[in-house]
Structures are given as C-alpha cells and as structure tokens.
Amino acid sequence: MRQRKEEGGLNMTPMIDVVFQLIIFFIVTVAQQQKEVEMELRLAMAPDGKAVERKDPRTITVDVDTQGRVYIARQRLSLQMLQNILRGAVARHGQTLPVVIRADAGTRHEYVRRVMDVCSQAGLWKIKFAAIKERAK
Amino acid sequence: MARKRKSKEVPEAELPMTPMIDVVFQLLIYFIFTIKPLDVLAHLDVFRPGPEQRTERLEVPPNLVRIGIFYDGFTVNDKPVAESQLESLIRRLAELDRKQTVLIMCSAASPHEFLVRVLNLCAKYQLTNLSVISVN
C-alpha cells in the first residue's frame, strides 16, 4: 500500500522525450531551410518589392546561376526536364501555378530568358522574380 | 495522532533536473551561435507575353511605355537615360497613369540585376501592368 503511493509522482520522462523530439525536428527543418536558401546565388536587391508573406505551397522556384544552369530544390535540370516538370505541374494545378525565378544578380538575361520561355511554353505567363527586400542583420 | 500522519506522508518523487538543464543550455548556446537570420525576400510580378501576344501588343501600343535594359544602361521610349534619371522618369510615368502598360525589353547581355532594379522602381511607384520581353 505504501509503495503504491510512492509511485504517484509526476513522470517527467515522456515530457522530456517530446521536448527532445521537438528540438530535433527544429534542428533538422531549420538546417534544411538554410540549405535551400544558401544556393550560392547572390540575389539582387529590391527594397520596394512586395515582401513574401505567405508562400503558396504550389510555388515552383527555379534557380538560375551565373553560368545559366537551372535548378529546382538544388537539383540541376536541363531545360527539357524543366519543361516536363512545369507541364506536369500545370496539368495538375492549372495555369495559375506560381513560378518564381531566382536568378543571380549577375546572370545574363539570355539565361533567364530561356527559363521564361520554358514557362511560357508550359502555359505560365505570370512569373515572379525573387529579390532581397531586406538583408539579414 | 501526529505520529500516524507522519507515517502516511508520501515521499516526493525526485527527478534529477540538473543534466536536463545542462543539455538544454548546451542546445540554447548552440542555436545562439549557429542560427543565421534569413534575408527578407521580395517577389516582383511580371507578365511574360507569349509569342503571339507579343506581336499583338507591339502592333497596338495603347499608352505603352517602353523601358529598354542593356548591358551598359537603360532607355525609356528608345531614349537613353542615365540610371539617376530613371527613377524620376518612372515616377512621372506613374503619376500620369498607374494602370498603363510598361513594356520592359531586356537585351540578352544585360545583367539580371538591371531588370530587378527596374521592377523594383515600378513596384515603388505602383506600376503593376508590367510585361517583360527579350530582345537581341
């Protein structure tokens, strides 16, 4: 009888487990987000541009580096592959699918143009360009 | 009576908190030193006319402003303008009509930064009807 009463304390182990699970989750997701952004691109500044508040989950972000190489989620793609991806996405989500082109400030327009042409061919006329509104302090 | 109560008291369950607090502080210090704040991004919306729309638009230019972007500078309605003049010109255009179409023509060799600069000025003066075409 006495022993049973002693066991009535608050069991902290599950709470600590949950806290650690949360910490691990945040470590992994923050690191992933950082990686996604840190694709050696030097974006141009647009301090008066519209800040990205809520990103549409359907958004496709296409990166273009100074050499004209094209990436989605750090995965290098040929223009043909990009076209197939965009066509597939348009078939699923329609022509209102948001496309963001994130090109390096020094990228020649002809490389950006290729991506824009692929977007147009896939039926996407509205395009967004990513820029930096405010640099992190 | 007092003795009886004493014997029934439940001993408190003790959990050593010190190691947990140690670990939590280690994690906190780790985050303070490693987390880099992210830049605030902006999205600049443009309309990219298709080939058939492009010719249509060029043939019938109702209240159309053409901004040319080249590797060494800008033009407004085919007249070269210095970078310092560009903002005042765009501001004046916006004062006349914010709904007018601005056709931004980029040359192949122009850096993307120039296009962003023009789009930023258009966003600043609330010109929203922007089309980007590429010229050789």
Side-chain angles (χ1 to χ4, degrees), chain A residues 45-85:
Chain A
M45 289 295 293
D48 301 300
K50 197 168 63 184
V52 186
E53 283 166 3
R54 221 181 289 164
K55 198 175 167 187
D56 188 327
R58 300 172 305 159
T59 305
I60 294 180
T61 305
V62 183
D63 296 328
V64 188
D65 69 8
T66 47
Q67 306 300 308
R69 290 179 292 237
V70 175
Y71 304 81
I72 288 182
R74 295 167 64 89
Q75 192 70 45
R76 193 173 165 190
L77 303 169
S78 65
L79 291 175
Q80 187 57 51
M81 284 159 82
L82 177 66
Q83 192 168 30
N84 293 342
I85 289 170

Side-chain angles (χ1 to χ4, degrees), chain A residues 84-104:
Chain A
N84 293 342
I85 289 170
L86 293 179
R87 284 208 168 132
V90 168
R92 277 194 305 278
H93 302 292
Q95 291 184 323
T96 56
L97 180 80
V99 179
V100 178
I101 297 177
R102 201 163 55 176
D104 190 283

Side-chain angles (χ1 to χ4, degrees), chain A:
Chain A
M1 188 69 182
R2 194 179 167 188
Q3 216 169 351
R4 213 183 269 171
K5 274 189 178 173
E6 278 175 11
E7 284 168 3
L10 183 67
N11 191 358
M12 295 286 280
T13 321
M15 197 190 79
I16 294 164
D17 283 352
V18 170
V19 168
F20 275 95
Q21 291 289 337
L22 282 170
I23 289 169
I24 291 163
F25 170 78
F26 282 117
I27 291 171
V28 173
T29 53
V30 166
Q32 190 58 40
Q33 276 182 347
Q34 292 274 80
K35 269 187 196 170
E36 215 174 275
V37 173
E38 280 172 7
M39 215 215 90
E40 289 142 31
L41 290 177
R42 187 180 58 88
L43 297 184
M45 289 295 293
D48 301 300
K50 197 168 63 184
V52 186
E53 283 166 3
R54 221 181 289 164
K55 198 175 167 187
D56 188 327
R58 300 172 305 159
T59 305
I60 294 180
T61 305
V62 183
D63 296 328
V64 188
D65 69 8
T66 47
Q67 306 300 308
R69 290 179 292 237
V70 175
Y71 304 81
I72 288 182
R74 295 167 64 89
Q75 192 70 45
R76 193 173 165 190
L77 303 169
S78 65
L79 291 175
Q80 187 57 51
M81 284 159 82
L82 177 66
Q83 192 168 30
N84 293 342
I85 289 170
L86 293 179
R87 284 208 168 132
V90 168
R92 277 194 305 278
H93 302 292
Q95 291 184 323
T96 56
L97 180 80
V99 179
V100 178
I101 297 177
R102 201 163 55 176
D104 190 283
T107 304
R108 283 165 64 96
H109 178 71
E110 62 183 313
Y111 300 138
V112 180
R113 174 197 187 163
R114 284 190 217 157
V115 175
M116 289 199 290
D117 286 344
V118 170
C119 293
S120 306
Q121 282 158 18
L124 298 162
W125 314 112
K126 284 188 175 175
I127 296 168
K128 296 168 195 282
F129 290 108
I132 293 176
K133 187 172 172 66
E134 203 182 310
R135 281 205 191 279
K137 285 161 193 166

